Amino acid sequence: MKKLHYLSVMCMAAALCLTACKGKEEATTEEGQTEQTEQTQEEQAVTATANSEELEANYSVCPFCLQDKGKVDENGEPVTVERKWICGSSAGASRIADWVLYTQDSRFNFNTDGWHFVGKDIVNADETYKIADRSVYEEMSSFCTIFTEKYTKPAVVEDYVHVAYSRLYSLLDEPPFEVSGIKLLGNQHDYNTPELKEYAGNASLESEHIQSSFYLNEWVTVSLPAELKSKGISIVVMPHQPNYDNVTLDETLLSKAAANVTPELNAESGMLQAEFYVNMDAPVGLYDILIVSNSKPIYRFTTIMSPAKE
């Protein structure tokens, strides 16, 4: 598996995208933690813009067009405002529903309108507008239009938990061993929809379609191919960072880990498995699950940890 460099051109939906999307996943600058403060929406927008400029050195930060409170112009075309999203990296979202979860991380707080889930609906901060159903699960692209419409909260809100999926990334051009797939399952998720039943019940491991959204304080089971047992790997969970170039997980770095476990062979499943959780007092946001060998991160899978489930 070759290391994947995601330049901004991957966001391209039109020639405009060549200048709109900047940065790549793997680069060598430190990413600061944005201080969380109470702000007006205008202040949040300014902060998000500044944050976007800082992140462009490390990620593909791309624009999308968000319809402004369902408005249309004299030609019936949507009136839009520009918002940002990260695409083409382990921290990137592909659908607006995933974007709502991923932007809980204060370092990627492009969600200046306060979009959140109410049942299956994605609504703004004051719950007066929703993302139109046709836009919720469409694949995003640079300058794509996300449509909105008026929202009236139903008398009974349907119970719904959105689950995001991502993929496994190699951190090296020539990793010392291949990982054919991985699976993550959480003990606070009910796998009761057709899609989730299929995901949870499938015994095979995947590299492209892996659950990436969990809760703080939720036990997460990581399953890997049994043949990795001979590689002496460990699973280390770290707060997300843009790259791991020349990183050795020494005692100092490991002291910052949310978890550090050695997977063991599960006789029943025939897979190598490990369990971990991220403490409920830890920050909400993105965490990297690292497959480590000889203190070197070889692969990474990035998850979003939402507030602990009540």
Side-chain angles (χ1 to χ4, degrees), residues 120-173:
K120 285 190 174 182
D121 292 319
I122 300 175
V123 302
N124 61 354
D126 63 6
E127 302 187 355
T128 54
Y129 285 84
K130 61 176 278 188
I131 302 295
D133 292 344
R134 59 174 164 163
S135 291
V136 171
Y137 299 111
E138 286 185 348
E139 293 292 317
M140 295 175 71
S141 60
S142 191
F143 290 108
C144 67
T145 298
I146 302 297
F147 294 92
T148 64
E149 59 189 37
K150 290 236 8 127
Y151 172 73
T152 301
K153 190 172 183 178
V156 178
V157 175
E158 181 181 355
D159 187 26
Y160 173 77
V161 174
H162 179 63
V163 174
Y165 299 90
S166 188
R167 58 160 297 165
L168 182 69
Y169 286 81
S170 171
L171 294 169
L172 301 175
D173 289 327

Side-chain angles (χ1 to χ4, degrees), residues 176-177 231-234 249 290-299:
F177 53 84
K231 305 301 181 183
I233 65 169
S234 59
L249 292 175
L290 303 175
I291 300 175
V292 177
S293 178
N294 295 321
S295 300
K296 296 289 186 181
I298 310 298
Y299 292 89

Side-chain angles (χ1 to χ4, degrees), residues 68-95:
D68 184 18
K69 297 182 178 178
K71 296 175 185 175
V72 295
D73 62 19
E74 62 275 10
N75 298 316
E77 297 296 324
V79 175
T80 64
V81 292
E82 185 177 294
R83 295 291 181 261
K84 300 289 187 180
W85 65 298
I86 290 178
C87 64
S89 80
S90 65
S94 60
R95 305 175 296 178

Side-chain angles (χ1 to χ4, degrees), residues 25-40:
E25 182 190 3
E26 306 297 344
T28 316
T29 56
E30 293 186 0
E31 181 182 9
Q33 184 84 11
T34 303
E35 182 180 0
Q36 292 180 314
T37 58
E38 292 187 8
Q39 300 169 305
T40 65

Side-chain angles (χ1 to χ4, degrees), residues 172-187:
L172 301 175
D173 289 327
E174 297 183 0
F177 53 84
E178 295 292 330
V179 174
S180 58
I182 186 174
K183 174 172 278 187
L184 276 71
L185 293 168
N187 75 336

Side-chain angles (χ1 to χ4, degrees), residues 16-268:
L16 286 171
C17 189
L18 291 173
T19 56
C21 302
K22 301 178 182 178
K24 58 183 181 179
E25 182 190 3
E26 306 297 344
T28 316
T29 56
E30 293 186 0
E31 181 182 9
Q33 184 84 11
T34 303
E35 182 180 0
Q36 292 180 314
T37 58
E38 292 187 8
Q39 300 169 305
T40 65
Q41 286 194 4
E42 181 178 356
E43 288 171 331
Q44 287 177 336
V46 171
T47 299
T49 300
N51 198 29
S52 173
E53 294 172 354
E54 294 172 3
L55 293 173
E56 284 172 354
N58 298 309
Y59 302 92
S60 292
V61 180
C62 302
F64 69 89
C65 302
L66 178 69
Q67 187 178 18
D68 184 18
K69 297 182 178 178
K71 296 175 185 175
V72 295
D73 62 19
E74 62 275 10
N75 298 316
E77 297 296 324
V79 175
T80 64
V81 292
E82 185 177 294
R83 295 291 181 261
K84 300 289 187 180
W85 65 298
I86 290 178
C87 64
S89 80
S90 65
S94 60
R95 305 175 296 178
I96 195 70
D98 302 337
W99 176 85
V100 171
L101 293 184
Y102 284 29
T103 54
Q104 294 175 104
D105 192 312
S106 61
R107 296 168 294 179
F108 306 97
N109 185 20
F110 306 127
N111 185 2
T112 56
D113 308 290
W115 297 100
H116 61 282
F117 281 93
V118 176
K120 285 190 174 182
D121 292 319
I122 300 175
V123 302
N124 61 354
D126 63 6
E127 302 187 355
T128 54
Y129 285 84
K130 61 176 278 188
I131 302 295
D133 292 344
R134 59 174 164 163
S135 291
V136 171
Y137 299 111
E138 286 185 348
E139 293 292 317
M140 295 175 71
S141 60
S142 191
F143 290 108
C144 67
T145 298
I146 302 297
F147 294 92
T148 64
E149 59 189 37
K150 290 236 8 127
Y151 172 73
T152 301
K153 190 172 183 178
V156 178
V157 175
E158 181 181 355
D159 187 26
Y160 173 77
V161 174
H162 179 63
V163 174
Y165 299 90
S166 188
R167 58 160 297 165
L168 182 69
Y169 286 81
S170 171
L171 294 169
L172 301 175
D173 289 327
E174 297 183 0
F177 53 84
E178 295 292 330
V179 174
S180 58
I182 186 174
K183 174 172 278 187
L184 276 71
L185 293 168
N187 75 336
Q188 294 185 27
H189 276 75
D190 294 324
Y191 296 92
N192 54 7
T193 67
E195 180 186 21
L196 291 175
K197 284 180 180 178
E198 181 180 0
Y199 172 78
N202 191 342
S204 63
L205 304 176
E206 299 186 35
S207 295
E208 303 286 339
H209 186 75
I210 310 156
Q211 183 179 349
S212 62
S213 55
F214 298 94
Y215 299 105
L216 295 174
N217 229 39
E218 177 175 19
W219 280 99
V220 179
T221 300
V222 182
S223 297
L224 293 160
E227 55 266 26
L228 293 181
K229 176 70 173 175
S230 63
K231 305 301 181 183
I233 65 169
S234 59
I235 303 296
V236 178
V237 183
M238 298 287 291
H240 173 74
Q241 63 185 58
N243 72 83
Y244 289 88
D245 293 346
N246 303 314
V247 168
T248 298
L249 292 175
D250 56 19
E251 291 184 4
T252 300
L253 283 178
L254 287 175
S255 68
K256 301 176 182 178
N260 180 9
V261 293
T262 300
E264 299 292 342
L265 192 62
N266 184 304
E268 183 177 346

